[in-house]
Amino acid sequence: MTYYDANMYPVQLDVEYPEEPRKRLTALVRIILAIPIIFIIAVIVGVYATGTLGISFGTALMILFRKKYPRWWFDFQLELARFSVRIAAYLGLLRDEYPSTDDEQAVALDIPYPDVEGQLNRFMPIIKWLLAIPHYIVLFILGICWIVVTIIAWFAILIIGRYPRGMFNFSVGALRWEARVDAYVAILTTDRYPPFRLGA
């Protein structure tokens, strides 16, 4: 699924709302079921340049000194981000499918490959982390709210078998906001400042 067009922010994330009744048993023990996939993502991120910070630093150096963003490097970061979002959607009870290491499933994250010469300023990676401080403050608050909403949704799924739609939209919006800030600061695919909004 591709959600990008020229009028939208160049990072789009969506999670399909599950219309069918939720699996109460897997929701009850979700954190235990997620341990293997959490271990996998921890190993992947740990092996490659000691985590996301190292990957981002490598990207910044390539843009700054070579004015290049190799396609294979971008593809790796995009797929790692997609995998991470599938795990977050699973842990946040947004979906019941166990996170796939390669299939998109019902979680779509689209980040277009950047035209480094035409779209990216080579010196922006030096200051993006500073410019994003207001976003990090908001994301900290959103993260706390996301945890509270997930706990309430957990009880709702156990009792009525559904994730309340408004809470679902909030949770997806929080993930979308984080994905946009990550693309701006860490993956470094756009110089457009992320919007302060949960929606598309």
Side-chain angles (χ1 to χ4, degrees), residues 160-171:
I160 63 172
R162 296 230 176 254
Y163 197 125
R165 189 62 181 249
M167 295 167 66
F168 181 90
N169 291 340
F170 169 81
S171 293

Side-chain angles (χ1 to χ4, degrees), residues 19 49 61 66 78 95:
E19 298 293 345
L61 290 177
R66 300 290 316 269
L78 176 59
R95 298 294 305 181

Side-chain angles (χ1 to χ4, degrees), residues 22-38 90-93 95-96 98-99 150 153-155 157-158:
R22 304 300 300 277
K23 298 175 182 173
R24 292 181 171 127
L25 181 60
T26 62
L28 181 65
V29 293
R30 180 66 48 97
I31 193 72
I32 296 168
L33 295 174
I35 289 173
I37 205 77
I38 292 170
Y90 183 71
L91 283 172
L93 303 168
R95 298 294 305 181
D96 286 334
Y98 201 74
T150 301
W154 183 73
F155 282 108
I157 291 169
L158 293 180

